[in-house]
Amino acid sequence: MKLILWRYKLGNRKDRATQCFLKMAYEVDIRSSRVNPKFLHGNSTSHTWAFSAIAELIDNAYDPDVNAAEIRIDTRVINGTVCLTFVDNGNGMTQDKLHKMLSFGYCDKKQIEGEIKPIGYYGNGFKSGSMRLGKDAIVFTKHKESMSVGLLSQTFLTNINAYTVLVPIVTWELPSNILLVLGKRKIDRTTTCNLNAILQHSIFKTEEELLDELSGFGIGHGTSIIIYNLRMTNNNLELDFASDPYDIRNPETSIIDLTSIERPTTACQHEYRRSLREYCSILYLKPRMKIVIRGKKVKTKLMSKSLSQTEKDRYKPTWLEYRIHYTFGFTSSKNPEDCGIMMYHNNRLIKAFEKVGYQKQPNGLGMGVIGVVEANFLEPIHNKQDFNMTAKYSAFITNVSKKLNDYWSEKMYGDSAQNRTSKEKKLPDWTWAQCDNCLQWRRLPAGIIAEDLPEKWYCHLNPDASFNRCDIPEEPENEDEALKKPVYKKTYKRKLKEKKQAEEYGKASS
Amino acid sequence: MKLILWRYKLGNRKDRATQCFLKMAYEVDIRSSRVNPKFLHGNSTSHTWAFSAIAELIDNAYDPDVNAAEIRIDTRVINGTVCLTFVDNGNGMTQDKLHKMLSFGYCDKKQIEGEIKPIGYYGNGFKSGSMRLGKDAIVFTKHKESMSVGLLSQTFLTNINAYTVLVPIVTWELPSNILLVLGKRKIDRTTTCNLNAILQHSIFKTEEELLDELSGFGIGHGTSIIIYNLRMTNNNLELDFASDPYDIRNPETSIIDLTSIERPTTACQHEYRRSLREYCSILYLKPRMKIVIRGKKVKTKLMSKSLSQTEKDRYKPTWLEYRIHYTFGFTSSKNPEDCGIMMYHNNRLIKAFEKVGYQKQPNGLGMGVIGVVEANFLEPIHNKQDFNMTAKYSAFITNVSKKLNDYWSEKMYGDSAQNRTSKEKKLPDWTWAQCDNCLQWRRLPAGIIAEDLPEKWYCHLNPDASFNRCDIPEEPENEDEALKKPVYKKTYKRKLKEKKQAEEYGKASS
């Protein structure tokens, strides 16, 4: 009773020691919020399609704390079970970090000055993503000091009728400074219990099999996520591994659109909704990590650099400290659906081909125009497939609609509209190539067409001697310069305005 | 070590006692997945607009385990803080149930034969909903045997720098069979610690204030959710309490649509996106619970019964055991946006005014047609604002598009199309009224118009003597009968087919 009174009095004191004591007391006496095994499924339903879940797992490898140069997405059959695997060559995780990955909302990702901005910040991507793709996931990770295996498995939790989400983890410590020496694990009760849970309730049946899997990292490090009991639809695997040996396809999205009386046709669907290879090629605004799907590298598309007649525009809302940059241009794609705004957030695609402004009209206005914008000031929702519908989002959409309309009008009716032939419109303003070694992008001299480049291109192939070695930094984006430069001349807009003024003047004087 | 070997051997045994023992062992030695306080925010971002979050809290009261007859949504100022409150007169919760409500994924909702189907099943509605609306929520609940207060508070967790989500709960036991006697709480260390956490870190500063709040339930029971530190946008409260004293409005959704060169106009927005009263009026297909917003009852709209020229159609996919019913009809609304499919799931609105088929064309085809369907075979996503994009969803959308097109063609070009005047089209086929006492719906004799009914309508006002008392059950829906009856005659479709056949015959014979 004395303790209670003491604590009660302490509650009013604000110094750090008191608060720390109170926190400890709270952690003893106040129950924590639990997680039901069923939550794993419920939480995963925020992903309305499988690729959205896959993107979460790619993001995790991409982020600066992992900092992988490469992620390999594959299918494998392990002990008779079809698995979807994600293997990166990043930093790997300590046991504590792995436990956080298997928990909810722990995100240690911090932006380091000069490095890439982390994409994830809700600390939910692995859980929602993996559990959307399959019932079970087992994670192998090798860090410089240890190797760990962790299990997030709905099957395991159902088998043992668990009341809360238990995540068995086993860790092997690695001896320092010696290459290729076997790790050592503790032989205490806890470790054995965790190991047994994994061996009895996963697709790996012996400790040797686990160590074998870990040996795949060789002398390097990295993380391998193996997802099994993959989601089924109508007794088939949800994802289509058969149609294309170098791709993973999503057959779910073939909606037949009956908008027309005369010709009910299959709706023009974006290829990125159906092909993982295609989706991965546009997933990052500036790709910095190799994505390899079923052994074949994804050729990334640098969207803003593949357009023709590109113009920059900008937007400075009162509530934002900096200007937002738009890039508008014409796509070379023949699919009429391939136009609209590509909205990125911290380099990651959130919404693709979002029709705005004229493009929402059925009369062909705005056709073929693509806008690219990195909208870091907006808040992506839970599944990173949309933004929170705030006043800021509304203001942004209103603005980007206006800017797209401006761009279209200028290119169609403006001063320079007549000078171009239709053929010219199809070619990108510049050809860019990414070095397969350093992953940097190089602008190629005029006359070189992207299609003519070899499958694997390296800096030394660049005819431009000022950018033909991997140690030469990438050509700067010159955003500061772009800021100073006036935006393109909106001749059509000016004429319209003049005409209106003239009319008003005419009215006034008559 | 012996214990370990024993357990290891046991692992292969499948009998219940062994499994139970193993489970206990697992719970001791295997760490559970934790929840970071930051997850509360991340998890809430699945709600892209505030009303989607509010709907979750209404659903909880509606569901059979709570079974409230009424929920009151209000704003209050408590100790100087603006709060949003949800008070229902349902069953209330035991301490254990309250702890589950403050945890993730615990959903005890089961369908009881003959009773309404539960809406919630992910066990996440309260967390994602309340934390979307404000930083903190305090729950008061009175059950027949006890009263409890629980706190889910980001402010508290930040204050104490918590590593995981702690949820302080205090319970007062109620003496049985005696009305209005004060509850008794334990005076042990744990209870005091929980109580102190609530009093020091919530807007209630004394135990008396808590008991005062609980006394609001009188001799009844129920649950009161108080949300504070409400979300702000641009230094204003996100929700608009000022414009209408009897409504809660969402000012966020006013996107100016610039789809037209000639007339950039404010897009026709559905009123339900802006007015909570309007949204609540269509939130349930068959409303069974009174919703009172700021003291004024929501007049529910029985969508499928407010249409004119209604026709039933149906759909029986091969993968479904039963038929799905469509109701099509013309709306009396003058807003051109108010058409499309209203998609419900277990009685709860998931998608509203979804344009399908002809309605996606800009030429006015399908205008004014509303379809109503309860698609229980689909899986709603995390935020209950969309369905999972599965093959089933695709097939369903394809079918409903076709059926809507059929309906439109029939009403425009079919045999009965000429016989109707435009005035007739505007009036619903039947007028229905809901009794303010028993909440049952009564079909009124022809000639009575909904607008002429009093604000509060009771069964005894029904001129139809066979349904003029609250103890008379509602007129059955007769879905079985509808099943037997052929669907409406598609004369236009038949003629088209005949014409085509004749043409082919003509070709063949020529």
Side-chain angles (χ1 to χ4, degrees):
Chain A
M1 195 60 199
K2 242 183 191 167
L3 180 73
I4 300 163
L5 283 172
W6 185 46
R7 192 189 297 159
Y8 187 77
K9 279 177 195 156
L10 278 176
N12 298 321
R13 282 174 53 182
K14 297 274 177 213
D15 63 288
R16 211 173 144 178
T18 314
Q19 290 304 323
C20 188
F21 169 79
L22 275 171
K23 184 192 161 191
M24 269 164 47
Y26 282 147
E27 279 172 4
V28 172
D29 283 326
I30 300 177
R31 283 209 280 177
S32 63
S33 191
R34 281 166 166 262
V35 184
N36 189 305
K38 283 185 196 150
F39 187 68
L40 294 177
H41 171 69
N43 182 50
S44 80
T45 61
S46 69
H47 294 294
T48 56
W49 59 312
F51 291 177
S52 151
I54 290 178
E56 294 279 2
L57 302 179
I58 301 175
D59 287 346
N60 280 346
Y62 174 92
D63 270 348
D65 55 338
V66 177
N67 198 22
E70 182 181 287
I71 185 167
R72 307 183 73 90
I73 306 172
D74 270 296
T75 54
R76 266 172 70 190
V77 176
I78 299 172
N79 289 334
T81 306
V82 183
C83 305
L84 184 59
T85 63
F86 299 81
V87 184
D88 72 55
N89 61 357
N91 296 327
M93 287 175 282
T94 59
Q95 186 187 54
D96 183 56
K97 196 153 180 217
L98 177 58
H99 182 245
K100 281 181 178 166
M101 182 191 180
L102 304 177
S103 292
F104 292 84
Y106 294 88
C107 177
D108 294 338
K109 293 163 188 171
K110 273 175 206 141
Q111 200 199 341
I112 304 156
E113 185 88 27
E115 289 196 18
I116 53 169
K117 279 183 199 166
I119 296 160
Y121 51 87
Y122 293 142
N124 192 29
F126 171 71
K127 277 73 64 185
S128 69
S130 62
M131 296 295 109
R132 169 63 182 77
L133 296 167
K135 277 209 176 72
D136 311 292
I138 183 163
V139 183
F140 294 84
T141 187
K142 190 175 169 207
H143 184 255
K144 58 181 188 238
E145 286 160 5
S146 64
M147 310 187 292
S148 300
V149 178
L151 184 69
L152 183 72
S153 163
Q154 298 182 63
T155 304
F156 162 60
L157 296 167
T158 307
N159 284 353
I160 68 163
N161 197 20
Y163 180 73
T164 189
V165 175
L166 300 178
V167 285
I169 296 177
V170 179
T171 297
W172 292 262
E173 298 299 325
L174 288 174
S176 55
N177 293 325
I178 303 166
L179 300 178
L180 280 174
V181 168
L182 273 180
K184 246 189 184 169
R185 69 166 171 88
K186 286 189 190 151
I187 334 190
D188 59 359
R189 194 191 70 186
T190 300
T191 310
T192 315
C193 182
N194 279 267
L195 182 62
N196 284 349
I198 293 173
L199 298 182
Q200 278 160 36
H201 299 280
S202 83
I203 47 172
F204 293 89
K205 293 299 167 204
T206 64
E207 188 173 351
E208 285 66 45
E209 284 176 35
L210 298 181
L211 289 168
D212 218 47
E213 197 63 33
L214 284 166
S215 72
F217 294 111
I219 56 165
H221 30 72
T223 299
S224 160
I225 297 167
I226 298 174
I227 299 170
Y228 56 98
N229 279 331
L230 296 174
R231 187 179 283 220
M232 309 288 285
T233 45
N234 303 334
N235 296 322
N236 292 313
L237 286 174
E238 174 194 34
L239 291 170
D240 167 12
F241 300 119
S243 299
D244 184 339
Y246 296 111
D247 200 357
I248 294 170
R249 294 185 63 86
N250 176 23
E252 293 294 333
T253 50
S254 55
I255 294 176
I256 296 167
D257 196 357
L258 295 143
T259 55
S260 161
I261 317 179
E262 307 299 323
R263 38 176 175 79
T265 54
T266 305
C268 279
Q269 278 259 326
H270 292 289
E271 182 63 8
Y272 85 92
R273 304 280 307 177
R274 290 179 301 214
S275 156
L276 183 62
R277 181 170 293 280
E278 185 73 16
Y279 183 49
C280 287
S281 77
I282 56 171
L283 189 58
Y284 300 103
L285 185 57
K286 291 177 194 168
R288 298 288 180 209
M289 177 177 71
K290 268 191 231 178
I291 303 174
V292 180
I293 298 176
R294 303 180 85 180
K296 197 174 151 193
K297 204 190 92 177
V298 171
K299 233 177 164 170
T300 52
K301 284 185 189 165
L302 213 57
M303 188 58 86
S304 63
K305 289 177 176 166
S306 69
L307 305 173
S308 64
Q309 298 191 53
T310 47
E311 300 287 2
K312 302 263 180 194
D313 210 334
R314 52 178 95 134
Y315 172 39
K316 168 77 180 69
T318 49
W319 36 264
L320 202 66
E321 306 238 314
Y322 56 90
R323 283 175 176 174
I324 302 152
H325 296 267
Y326 299 125
T327 304
F328 290 107
F330 283 93
T331 175
S332 58
S333 163
K334 276 158 203 137
N335 185 342
E337 286 292 304
D338 284 352
C339 67
I341 307 297
M342 311 297 289
M343 300 181 195
Y344 289 83
H345 183 269
N346 285 353
N347 202 26
R348 156 72 135 84
L349 182 68
I350 305 294
K351 291 179 102 165
F353 303 110
E354 183 75 8
K355 310 282 175 292
V356 299
Y358 291 161
Q359 296 177 330
K360 293 181 111 176
Q361 292 184 329
N363 47 21
L365 293 182
M367 272 277 284
V369 176
I370 294 234
V372 181
V373 57
E374 192 176 18
N376 294 345
F377 58 98
L378 298 177
E379 191 190 44
I381 66 164
H382 202 252
N383 61 11
K384 294 196 203 132
Q385 301 289 315
D386 206 342
F387 291 106
N388 220 331
M389 304 272 177
T390 59
K392 284 180 187 176
Y393 182 76
S394 302
F396 162 68
I397 288 293
T398 303
N399 183 270
V400 75
S401 303
K402 204 170 128 277
K403 298 294 194 184
L404 180 129
N405 292 0
D406 284 349
Y407 174 80
W408 171 262
S409 300
E410 185 58 31
K411 293 299 163 191
M412 288 298 126
Y413 321 115
D415 280 356
S416 58
Q418 296 85 345
N419 308 336
R420 309 225 172 204
T421 68
S422 66
K423 210 202 156 197
E424 257 185 313
K425 278 179 194 164
K426 301 284 174 184
L427 280 181
D429 298 341
W430 297 99
T431 301
W432 291 79
Q434 188 180 26
C435 172
D436 211 69
N437 178 39
C438 68
L439 303 181
Q440 296 191 99
W441 287 86
R442 305 299 185 188
R443 186 207 303 252
L444 301 181
I448 300 180
I449 301 165
E451 280 71 35
D452 297 342
L453 295 176
E455 184 71 19
K456 291 198 172 192
W457 188 91
Y458 299 96
C459 285
H460 67 82
L461 298 173
N462 193 356
D464 178 354
S466 47
F467 291 103
N468 69 349
R469 286 195 331 266
C470 291
D471 59 343
I472 301 172
E474 205 164 278
E475 187 176 347
E477 273 285 306
N478 273 341
E479 297 217 333
D480 292 336
E481 222 166 79
L483 274 176
K484 281 173 224 150
K485 248 188 9 187
V487 296
Y488 69 102
K489 277 200 185 120
K490 293 172 182 166
T491 58
Y492 178 71
K493 208 176 169 186
R494 196 192 59 216
K495 270 186 211 156
L496 258 194
K497 206 175 158 189
E498 284 169 2
K499 199 179 149 198
K500 211 175 161 192
Q501 280 173 339
E503 276 173 11
E504 269 165 18
Y505 181 76
K507 268 186 215 160
S509 56
S510 68
Chain B
M1 195 63 199
K2 240 181 192 167
L3 180 74
I4 300 164
L5 283 173
W6 185 45
R7 193 190 294 159
Y8 188 77
K9 280 178 194 153
L10 278 176
N12 299 320
R13 282 175 53 184
K14 298 275 176 215
D15 63 286
R16 210 174 144 177
T18 313
Q19 291 303 324
C20 187
F21 169 78
L22 275 171
K23 184 192 161 190
M24 270 164 45
Y26 283 148
E27 279 173 5
V28 172
D29 283 325
I30 300 178
R31 282 208 281 177
S32 62
S33 191
R34 280 166 167 261
V35 184
N36 189 304
K38 283 184 196 151
F39 187 68
L40 295 176
H41 171 69
N43 183 50
S44 78
T45 60
S46 68
H47 295 295
T48 55
W49 58 311
F51 291 177
S52 150
I54 291 178
E56 294 279 2
L57 303 179
I58 301 174
D59 286 346
N60 281 346
Y62 174 93
D63 271 348
D65 55 338
V66 177
N67 198 22
E70 183 181 288
I71 184 167
R72 306 182 73 89
I73 305 171
D74 270 296
T75 55
R76 266 172 69 190
V77 177
I78 299 172
N79 289 333
T81 305
V82 183
C83 305
L84 184 60
T85 65
F86 299 81
V87 184
D88 72 55
N89 62 357
N91 296 328
M93 287 175 282
T94 59
Q95 187 189 54
D96 183 56
K97 198 155 177 213
L98 177 57
H99 182 245
K100 282 181 177 165
M101 183 191 179
L102 303 178
S103 292
F104 292 85
Y106 294 89
C107 177
D108 295 336
K109 293 163 186 171
K110 275 175 203 141
Q111 200 199 343
I112 304 156
E113 184 88 30
E115 286 194 19
I116 52 168
K117 279 183 199 164
I119 296 161
Y121 52 87
Y122 293 140
N124 191 30
F126 170 70
K127 277 74 62 185
S128 69
S130 63
M131 295 295 110
R132 167 64 182 75
L133 296 166
K135 277 209 176 71
D136 311 289
I138 183 163
V139 182
F140 293 84
T141 185
K142 192 177 168 204
H143 185 254
K144 57 181 188 238
E145 286 161 6
S146 64
M147 311 188 291
S148 299
V149 178
L151 183 68
L152 184 73
S153 163
Q154 299 182 63
T155 304
F156 161 59
L157 296 167
T158 307
N159 284 353
I160 67 162
N161 196 19
Y163 180 74
T164 189
V165 175
L166 300 177
V167 285
I169 297 177
V170 178
T171 297
W172 292 262
E173 299 297 327
L174 289 174
S176 54
N177 292 326
I178 301 166
L179 301 178
L180 279 174
V181 168
L182 272 180
K184 248 189 185 170
R185 70 166 170 89
K186 286 188 191 153
I187 333 190
D188 59 359
R189 195 191 70 184
T190 300
T191 310
T192 315
C193 182
N194 279 268
L195 182 62
N196 284 349
I198 293 173
L199 299 181
Q200 278 160 34
H201 299 280
S202 83
I203 48 172
F204 293 88
K205 293 301 168 201
T206 64
E207 187 171 354
E208 286 65 46
E209 284 176 35
L210 298 180
L211 289 167
D212 217 48
E213 196 64 33
L214 285 165
S215 71
F217 295 110
I219 57 168
H221 29 72
T223 299
S224 161
I225 297 166
I226 297 173
I227 298 170
Y228 57 98
N229 280 330
L230 297 174
R231 186 179 283 220
M232 311 286 284
T233 46
N234 303 333
N235 296 322
N236 292 314
L237 286 174
E238 174 193 33
L239 291 169
D240 167 13
F241 300 119
S243 301
D244 184 340
Y246 296 111
D247 200 357
I248 294 171
R249 294 186 63 87
N250 176 23
E252 292 295 330
T253 50
S254 55
I255 294 177
I256 296 168
D257 197 357
L258 294 145
T259 54
S260 161
I261 318 180
E262 308 299 324
R263 38 179 174 77
T265 54
T266 304
C268 278
Q269 278 259 325
H270 293 289
E271 182 64 7
Y272 86 92
R273 303 279 308 178
R274 290 179 301 215
S275 155
L276 182 63
R277 181 169 294 279
E278 185 73 18
Y279 183 50
C280 288
S281 77
I282 56 172
L283 189 57
Y284 301 103
L285 184 57
K286 292 176 192 168
R288 297 289 181 207
M289 176 177 72
K290 267 191 231 178
I291 302 174
V292 181
I293 298 175
R294 302 180 85 180
K296 198 174 150 193
K297 204 188 93 175
V298 172
K299 234 179 163 169
T300 52
K301 283 185 188 164
L302 214 55
M303 188 59 85
S304 62
K305 288 176 176 167
S306 68
L307 304 173
S308 64
Q309 299 191 55
T310 48
E311 299 287 1
K312 302 264 180 192
D313 210 332
R314 51 178 95 133
Y315 171 40
K316 168 78 181 72
T318 49
W319 36 264
L320 202 66
E321 306 238 312
Y322 56 89
R323 284 177 176 172
I324 302 152
H325 296 267
Y326 300 126
T327 306
F328 290 108
F330 283 92
T331 174
S332 59
S333 163
K334 274 159 206 136
N335 185 344
E337 286 293 304
D338 284 352
C339 68
I341 307 297
M342 311 296 290
M343 300 181 195
Y344 289 84
H345 183 268
N346 285 354
N347 202 27
R348 155 71 135 84
L349 182 67
I350 305 293
K351 290 179 106 165
F353 303 111
E354 181 76 8
K355 309 284 174 292
V356 299
Y358 292 160
Q359 295 176 332
K360 293 181 112 177
Q361 294 183 326
N363 47 20
L365 292 181
M367 272 280 284
V369 176
I370 293 234
V372 182
V373 58
E374 192 176 18
N376 294 344
F377 59 97
L378 297 177
E379 190 189 46
I381 66 164
H382 201 249
N383 61 13
K384 294 195 202 133
Q385 301 288 316
D386 205 342
F387 291 106
N388 219 333
M389 303 272 175
T390 60
K392 284 180 186 174
Y393 182 76
S394 301
F396 162 67
I397 288 292
T398 303
N399 184 270
V400 75
S401 302
K402 201 168 131 281
K403 298 293 193 183
L404 180 131
N405 292 359
D406 285 349
Y407 175 80
W408 171 262
S409 300
E410 186 59 30
K411 292 301 163 188
M412 287 298 127
Y413 321 115
D415 281 357
S416 58
Q418 298 83 347
N419 309 336
R420 307 225 171 204
T421 68
S422 67
K423 210 204 154 194
E424 256 183 314
K425 278 181 194 164
K426 301 284 174 183
L427 279 182
D429 298 341
W430 297 98
T431 300
W432 292 78
Q434 188 181 28
C435 172
D436 210 69
N437 178 40
C438 69
L439 303 181
Q440 296 191 97
W441 286 87
R442 306 299 186 188
R443 186 207 302 253
L444 301 180
I448 299 179
I449 303 166
E451 280 70 36
D452 297 344
L453 296 175
E455 184 70 19
K456 292 198 171 192
W457 189 91
Y458 299 96
C459 286
H460 68 81
L461 298 172
N462 192 356
D464 177 356
S466 48
F467 291 103
N468 69 350
R469 285 196 329 266
C470 291
D471 59 342
I472 302 172
E474 206 165 277
E475 188 178 344
E477 272 285 305
N478 272 341
E479 297 217 335
D480 294 336
E481 223 165 79
L483 275 177
K484 282 173 223 150
K485 247 186 14 185
V487 295
Y488 69 102
K489 275 197 188 122
K490 293 172 182 165
T491 58
Y492 178 71
K493 208 175 169 185
R494 196 191 62 218
K495 270 185 209 156
L496 259 193
K497 205 175 158 189
E498 284 169 2
K499 200 179 148 196
K500 209 174 162 192
Q501 281 172 339
E503 276 173 11
E504 270 163 18
Y505 181 77
K507 269 187 217 159
S509 56
S510 69

